[in-house]
Amino acid sequence: MNRVAVHGVGMSRFGRQPGRDLLALAYEAIAGAFDEAGSDAVDAVWVGTVFGAPGVAQRVLRSLGITEVPIITVENACASGTTAFIEAHEAIRTGRYGRVLALGVEQMSTAFSGPIVPETTDPEGLSGLALPALYGMSAARYLHDGAVTPEQLAAVSVKNRNHAQGNPRAPFRERLTVEEVLASRMIAEPLTLLQCCPTSDGAAAAILAPATGAAGEVTVRATTMRSGRVWDQTSPNVWGHDIVRDATVDVLDAAAIGSIDDIDVFEVHDAFTIGEIVTTEALGIAAPGEGGAAAATGRTALGGDMPVNPSGGLLSRGHPLGATGLAQVAEVTWQLRGQAGSRQVESARLGLVETMGGGVSVLDGNACAMTILEAS
Amino acid sequence: MNRVAVHGVGMSRFGRQPGRDLLALAYEAIAGAFDEAGSDAVDAVWVGTVFGAPGVAQRVLRSLGITEVPIITVENACASGTTAFIEAHEAIRTGRYGRVLALGVEQMSTAFSGPIVPETTDPEGLSGLALPALYGMSAARYLHDGAVTPEQLAAVSVKNRNHAQGNPRAPFRERLTVEEVLASRMIAEPLTLLQCCPTSDGAAAAILAPATGAAGEVTVRATTMRSGRVWDQTSPNVWGHDIVRDATVDVLDAAAIGSIDDIDVFEVHDAFTIGEIVTTEALGIAAPGEGGAAAATGRTALGGDMPVNPSGGLLSRGHPLGATGLAQVAEVTWQLRGQAGSRQVESARLGLVETMGGGVSVLDGNACAMTILEAS
């Protein structure tokens, strides 16, 4: 089996850009990745997208001159981009292909031109249990249990927007205060507007190939993927907690890493502030009930001992579903190469990407994809 | 690397059934495959669907009690089901997972409740170049070149409907005459209604695991997948010809099979009569310009030396996009096990599945997936 390296990553501009089609977004991301990799040759392509029309991957890639090679579009909810990365990784690891492009692309501002409503044919849909409501329930539960305070929830947005100051690729960079976050419009109680990832369009890409052994090369230490169990009112933990906890065990085991403390930098799924808090606890970065404090006290900030989302996360980049996972991979790759400028985590050698996928309603199930990258 | 066996296959009822949702269709197919495999344990699932809503695979599988394992939905146009099969095969071959479910499912009668029109933002869409028109152009070119006659085109429908007499799973089983086929309503000149696959809903599934070495076991000899080049008015051959020709070279090479003549039974993509004719020529079953004659003279009929579509093909089963490739795999598996009843190809030992994927318009690109199965 091959050791797999990330030979290049790229990102398009993120943010609302309804006038730009998937082709324009994909081109920017792929061109960046080819540029870093020093080559535009690939033997196969995996594409992550959720709302892209059928056949869109072939259309986009053919327009870029990538033809005749297998092109496989994968959908795994919000984890679609990370899934494309993991499938591409597996193809290189096993020698199936020699050089693979993983692409994630999504146009959210046109896909959701109307209100986001769940399907109305199932009980969850009829109850309005879309994802903001689901995360709102998690936050309400945490507040009820005294496991977080409103200020700690808001501190996640403040921290991640602070991080975004150093990230020209994050379109939402205005600094925020806890007061501003809490005073913004209510979306799904207790989550206010500035605690929800903004609508954003974008693409991100990575080129994977066998490791060359070059100094400083970023390689893939381990990957894992899971789907969730049924979650309902009898579940012991909030939605999404257990799948992240179990995937963490899997990926550390696969990587032969004894403790989460050995990871230097994290990009995790902060679609909502409570999401980052639950995730840091499920990952074992913070003890149960301590995730909010970790954000508020700076433990998970740049300069803290467990920096989470130095890019600014989904809260600053937005969340073009298929693109998110590969944008996370791109950030960790830049961090491990020491190319992250003023948001650089010092001496980062191991980085973890976590992407959580939720469906439109609870019954759609969920997914979690993780990967650990390493600087040689 | 493992030798991979098909441990079980299953198919739902096919045909128009707008009142049955994806869950009902998937259940029937999966239950059949589990029954044949003698177990409902799986470590991972690949799902092929084109029009299934995001998250639908998780929802369907969770409702069937399949949770916690990775579930990857793949879209590769009309080849989505075969792509799911090929990805599942790869996971077993490389030892990534021990037992994998490949599922294809599609509800066409609700997905296409209105007229099928291509996207109208590109020149092809504006010109009305949907797939029936594209295949109609192929047929017109063949007629113009004297490479086929109208009666030979119609003979493909007559042959495949004859085959379907023996297939209780084919919903469209009425015998047809050449005259009836030619007299049916014109869809895309020169293709009449009875030369086009009917609208159909359905699901099909396969369980893959390492081969046990049991006598009669059906194993996977080779697989391949390609995407197409740009096709336009300067292309030397009709749409879809070259990708099938090139994939044939790939798959025979990978299988170390010297000649297409060594294959005993074929399930190929007869979405339209001309599709089967072009495919038999591109596969090398018939010489250029002889594909129509092969159907009309019975060479590619049951009892002929190169039997194509003993199941009745897409022309008798309809074409629920994601399900088609796995229905083809199921048929070839039953043929190689000698379980095909009155449509059995005698002493079939090697079978080939070919699925062609076309987008909604020409610019969407195309895909071709092939697999060769073998009876041990």
Side-chain angles (χ1 to χ4, degrees), chain B residues 148-365:
Chain B
V148 78
T149 67
E151 292 72 22
Q152 288 171 345
L153 281 169
V156 175
S157 290
V158 174
K159 167 180 80 72
N160 289 354
R161 284 293 188 88
N162 278 341
H163 291 176
Q165 304 294 312
N167 186 5
R169 290 184 182 83
F172 303 93
R173 276 198 299 274
E174 310 77 29
R175 269 190 206 281
L176 299 173
T177 64
V178 165
E179 293 67 34
E180 284 168 337
V181 172
L182 292 177
S184 64
R185 183 158 62 88
M186 187 59 71
I187 298 299
E189 194 164 352
L191 300 174
T192 55
L193 181 69
L194 293 173
Q195 301 190 51
C196 307
C197 59
T199 299
S200 183
D201 310 313
I207 309 289
L208 288 87
T212 63
E217 188 174 40
V218 174
T219 57
V220 181
R221 179 82 172 248
T223 69
T224 196
M225 219 181 329
R226 270 183 175 259
S227 296
R229 285 194 293 270
V230 173
W231 181 88
D232 63 19
Q233 69 280 4
T234 68
S235 300
N237 293 304
V238 297
W239 185 86
H241 175 280
D242 290 4
I243 191 173
V244 175
R245 179 196 62 200
D246 296 343
T248 305
V249 173
D250 290 348
V251 80
L252 291 179
D253 196 47
I257 291 175
S259 162
I260 196 75
D261 298 335
D262 295 340
I263 307 290
D264 303 305
V265 56
F266 299 84
E267 284 280 318
V268 310
H269 200 78
D270 61 330
F272 300 88
T273 50
I274 185 67
E276 179 175 310
I277 290 171
V278 171
T279 301
T280 51
E281 295 178 5
L283 277 164
I285 292 175
E290 298 294 328
T297 61
R299 262 202 74 209
T300 53
L302 277 167
D305 66 319
M306 297 295 264
V308 173
N309 289 327
S311 71
L314 281 61
L315 288 167
S316 307
R317 190 170 52 221
H319 181 23
L321 309 187
T324 283
L326 282 154
Q328 294 173 309
V329 165
E331 174 67 14
V332 168
T333 299
W334 289 320
Q335 289 283 349
L336 297 180
R337 289 195 200 130
Q339 297 174 332
S342 64
R343 67 183 191 283
Q344 180 67 48
V345 173
E346 272 185 60
S347 315
R349 203 184 62 77
L350 284 170
L352 184 146
V353 167
E354 178 270 343
T355 324
M356 178 76 183
V360 177
S361 85
V362 185
L363 264 185
D364 284 344

Side-chain angles (χ1 to χ4, degrees), chain A residues 106-263:
Chain A
E106 209 84 55
Q107 242 289 357
M108 298 297 282
S109 54
T110 53
F112 289 110
S113 48
I116 303 179
V117 290
E119 290 186 29
T120 51
T121 53
D122 57 67
E124 285 73 12
L126 291 167
S127 317
L129 266 185
L131 282 169
L134 208 49
Y135 278 103
M137 285 171 68
S138 297
R141 167 79 173 270
Y142 264 56
L143 287 171
H144 177 266
D145 289 348
V148 79
T149 65
E151 292 72 21
Q152 288 171 343
L153 281 170
V156 175
S157 291
V158 173
K159 167 180 79 71
N160 290 353
R161 285 291 188 88
N162 278 342
H163 291 175
Q165 304 294 312
N167 186 5
R169 290 184 182 83
F172 303 94
R173 276 198 300 272
E174 310 74 32
R175 269 189 207 281
L176 300 172
T177 65
V178 166
E179 294 66 34
E180 284 168 335
V181 173
L182 293 176
S184 63
R185 182 158 65 88
M186 186 60 70
I187 299 296
E189 195 162 353
L191 300 174
T192 54
L193 181 69
L194 293 173
Q195 301 190 50
C196 307
C197 60
T199 298
S200 183
D201 312 312
I207 308 288
L208 289 86
T212 62
E217 188 174 40
V218 174
T219 58
V220 181
R221 179 82 171 247
T223 70
T224 196
M225 221 181 328
R226 273 184 173 257
S227 295
R229 285 193 293 270
V230 173
W231 181 87
D232 63 19
Q233 70 281 3
T234 69
S235 301
N237 293 304
V238 297
W239 185 86
H241 176 277
D242 291 4
I243 191 172
V244 174
R245 179 197 62 199
D246 296 344
T248 305
V249 172
D250 290 348
V251 79
L252 290 178
D253 197 47
I257 292 175
S259 162
I260 197 74
D261 298 336
D262 295 340
I263 308 289

Side-chain angles (χ1 to χ4, degrees), chain B residues 37-198:
Chain B
S39 163
D40 62 359
V42 293
D43 304 324
V45 183
W46 268 264
V47 181
T49 187
V50 176
F51 297 107
V56 74
Q58 264 87 354
R59 174 180 297 208
V60 164
L61 292 161
R62 188 146 82 170
S63 302
L64 297 172
I66 300 172
T67 61
E68 299 197 72
V69 302
I71 299 170
I72 302 175
T73 301
V74 295
E75 187 269 314
N76 198 15
C78 302
S80 295
T82 323
T83 300
F85 180 84
I86 289 174
E87 292 304 289
H89 163 264
E90 183 67 12
I92 299 296
R93 188 181 75 87
T94 59
R96 182 180 182 188
Y97 299 111
R99 196 173 180 83
V100 175
L101 167 64
L103 170 69
V105 61
E106 208 82 54
Q107 243 288 357
M108 297 295 284
S109 54
T110 53
F112 289 109
S113 49
I116 304 178
V117 290
E119 289 185 30
T120 52
T121 53
D122 56 68
E124 284 74 12
L126 290 167
S127 318
L129 267 185
L131 281 169
L134 210 46
Y135 279 102
M137 284 170 66
S138 297
R141 167 80 174 269
Y142 264 56
L143 287 172
H144 177 267
D145 289 348
V148 78
T149 67
E151 292 72 22
Q152 288 171 345
L153 281 169
V156 175
S157 290
V158 174
K159 167 180 80 72
N160 289 354
R161 284 293 188 88
N162 278 341
H163 291 176
Q165 304 294 312
N167 186 5
R169 290 184 182 83
F172 303 93
R173 276 198 299 274
E174 310 77 29
R175 269 190 206 281
L176 299 173
T177 64
V178 165
E179 293 67 34
E180 284 168 337
V181 172
L182 292 177
S184 64
R185 183 158 62 88
M186 187 59 71
I187 298 299
E189 194 164 352
L191 300 174
T192 55
L193 181 69
L194 293 173
Q195 301 190 51
C196 307
C197 59

